[in-house]
Amino acid sequence: MQELLEKLASLREYLDIPGKTRLLNELDRELSDPELWNDSERARKVTQEAGTVRRIVDEYAALNSDAQGLMEMLDIANAEEREMLAEEQAGIGVRVDELYRETLFTMKHADTAAIVRVKSGAGGTESQDWAGMLSRMFMRWGERRGYTVELVDQQDGDQAGVLSSEFIIRGDKAYGMMAPEHGVHRLVRVSPFDSNNRRHTSFASVDVVAEVPVEEINIHIPDSDLRRDVFRSQGAGGQGVNTTDSAVRLTHLPTGLAVASQVTRSQIKNHDIALQILKQRLYDIEVKKREAEEAKARGEQKKIEWGSQIRSYVLDKQYIKDHRTAVMKHNPADVLDGDLDDLMWAGLEWMAGKRVTEESTDDE
């Protein structure tokens, strides 16, 4: 029980409960001002922020009260009564862990949808198959959590898998959860495409950006900076999709960044979807560039990254290893079917600076 109380004290400091309480009072005063509702956008932001802060403050207060009450009961309980209170203590422990996880979402826009692009690396069919496996893994993860997964574009591989796949995952903290998956993923296995049963190593990149609210993106792209190509959709979607040039690919000429959409039967709608995603990606580039410049000006050093890959999936030896956190899983089939939460939470701890990168060497 003492450990629980220490965790709560640490959370109070990390969450800055006194500061959040003062902020909540200020937001409540603003919400009570009739003039606020003349600005619908400001009202939306204040309401959303107040809801988030209130949830954390109220949950901490309830947890602290329940923990103190349980502590008092344990002080006067006999052995039999303590045993009966064990379940309540475990329940409070779960709630403390859940509140702790709230502290891991240190990135901006953690509450928004995640725009995910998986792209095969060099290696032909092997890497294309791997990119397809990764795409399915993340989509299955989203479905298992009850999220909505919308496939925006997919370029099929020559024989198997995909050259690239782009999809949007919508749900509670979808971007926050997916953020640690950004990077290069490595697969080691006995190839099903090699008649000699040799082991192959394949790479695929995963790019994750937040679906930032449109009103925050002040990016104008001149028509002269865009190349627009239309093509026939490859994906499922009915006869109309597959027999007309409804898919649209937009290429931003100054950066070479290309985004395609074939999600609807309307060429106009696909153009709009591709343009919005392109703006999101350009916005993400600008934000990262600005953050890097600010960190340099402050004399900060960036985290040391591990080589090119963030995680290895070694299927013939039945393990998956994350090179940032040193977390290992020995159920690769389950992970590839979307059982990713443990790896994601560890990655979030690493991003929040609560888990130090551990030096380790691969068996491969």
Side-chain angles (χ1 to χ4, degrees):
M1 189 63 204
Q2 189 59 39
E3 184 181 349
L4 272 180
L5 294 177
E6 289 174 359
K7 276 188 177 181
L8 272 172
S10 177
L11 275 177
R12 184 178 190 276
E13 181 179 352
Y14 187 87
L15 290 170
D16 186 19
I17 294 299
K20 279 187 170 56
T21 301
R22 290 192 296 272
L23 173 60
L24 184 58
N25 290 334
E26 294 172 6
L27 293 170
D28 281 340
R29 280 195 293 272
E30 190 169 358
L31 286 170
S32 64
D33 183 357
E35 292 295 321
L36 171 68
W37 304 98
N38 294 328
D39 184 343
S40 59
E41 183 55 35
R42 174 61 183 166
R44 183 188 68 79
K45 287 183 178 180
V46 173
T47 301
Q48 185 177 27
E49 185 178 7
T52 300
V53 175
R54 192 185 315 280
R55 179 169 52 80
I56 294 174
V57 170
D58 289 351
E59 177 60 13
Y60 180 84
L63 263 176
N64 191 54
S65 175
D66 291 348
Q68 294 294 340
L70 180 60
M71 189 69 177
E72 293 172 4
M73 293 174 67
L74 287 171
D75 284 342
I76 61 175
N78 57 35
E80 184 179 349
E81 290 169 336
R82 281 175 171 271
E83 194 172 318
M84 293 173 63
L85 291 170
E87 186 176 342
E88 184 177 346
Q89 183 173 336
I92 292 177
V94 170
R95 289 165 58 197
V96 169
D97 289 341
E98 289 174 349
L99 187 59
Y100 163 73
R101 286 177 171 175
E102 289 287 333
T103 70
L104 302 180
F105 295 102
T106 55
M107 71 292 294
K108 194 175 180 183
H109 303 302
D111 291 328
T112 66
I115 302 173
V116 184
R117 175 182 288 175
V118 180
K119 188 175 181 181
S120 63
T125 301
E126 282 292 335
S127 63
Q128 292 164 22
D129 188 47
W130 175 222
M133 292 167 64
L134 279 176
S135 296
R136 179 187 180 280
M137 179 181 76
F138 293 124
M139 290 181 184
R140 284 286 296 129
W141 169 80
E143 291 165 359
R144 287 163 68 123
R145 292 183 68 91
Y147 291 172
T148 300
V149 181
E150 177 185 0
L151 181 64
V152 176
D153 180 52
Q154 181 169 295
Q155 304 300 314
D156 292 336
D158 300 327
Q159 298 180 46
V162 300
L163 288 165
S164 66
S165 176
E166 185 145 19
F167 47 93
I168 302 175
I169 302 177
R170 304 183 190 279
D172 182 41
K173 289 187 171 60
Y175 172 66
M177 292 295 294
M178 278 295 302
E181 299 302 304
H182 182 96
V184 176
H185 296 241
R186 182 179 71 153
L187 172 71
V188 181
R189 66 173 175 177
V190 175
S191 171
F193 305 102
D194 189 328
S195 58
N196 294 317
N197 292 323
R198 290 173 295 189
R199 299 172 86 237
H200 286 250
T201 299
S202 308
F203 296 89
S205 64
V206 177
D207 184 48
V208 184
V209 299
E211 188 180 52
V212 180
V214 175
E215 60 272 12
E216 290 189 31
I217 301 178
N218 186 25
I219 292 180
H220 172 68
I221 305 176
D223 290 340
S224 58
D225 285 352
L226 281 180
R227 186 179 73 236
R228 182 176 186 272
D229 300 303
V230 296
F231 58 98
R232 187 162 298 176
S233 170
Q234 292 184 7
Q239 188 177 357
V241 170
N242 294 314
T243 60
T244 63
D245 290 338
S246 59
V248 175
R249 179 180 294 106
L250 298 178
T251 303
H252 185 242
L253 298 176
T255 62
L257 190 61
V259 174
S261 172
Q262 51 181 308
V263 71
T264 78
R265 300 184 182 189
S266 165
Q267 192 178 108
I268 295 174
K269 289 181 180 178
N270 281 330
H271 176 277
D272 291 343
I273 292 170
L275 183 60
Q276 286 305 316
I277 293 177
L278 179 61
K279 286 183 177 181
Q280 298 277 357
R281 293 197 174 279
L282 290 173
Y283 176 84
D284 184 67
I285 290 171
E286 287 302 313
V287 168
K288 285 185 170 62
K289 186 187 300 182
R290 186 165 61 249
E291 289 175 347
E293 291 172 351
E294 291 173 353
K296 185 177 180 180
R298 292 192 297 266
E300 295 178 359
Q301 289 186 345
K302 295 186 69 177
K303 294 175 183 174
I304 298 173
E305 305 289 353
W306 272 95
S308 61
Q309 68 268 358
I310 64 168
R311 190 179 300 149
S312 291
Y313 305 69
V314 186
L315 301 192
D316 58 326
K317 294 190 177 180
Q318 290 292 295
Y319 75 83
I320 293 172
K321 184 170 187 177
D322 193 291
H323 304 294
R324 303 158 300 175
T325 65
V327 169
M328 292 188 69
K329 304 288 286 183
H330 295 279
N331 57 337
D334 292 338
V335 172
L336 291 172
D337 194 43
D339 185 8
L340 285 166
D341 281 5
D342 288 348
L343 290 162
M344 287 177 165
W345 287 120
L348 283 165
E349 284 187 316
W350 179 79
M351 291 180 69
K354 296 187 177 185
R355 181 185 285 262
V356 179
T357 302
E358 299 182 26
E359 288 197 24
S360 60
T361 57
D362 283 335
D363 294 336
E364 302 303 319

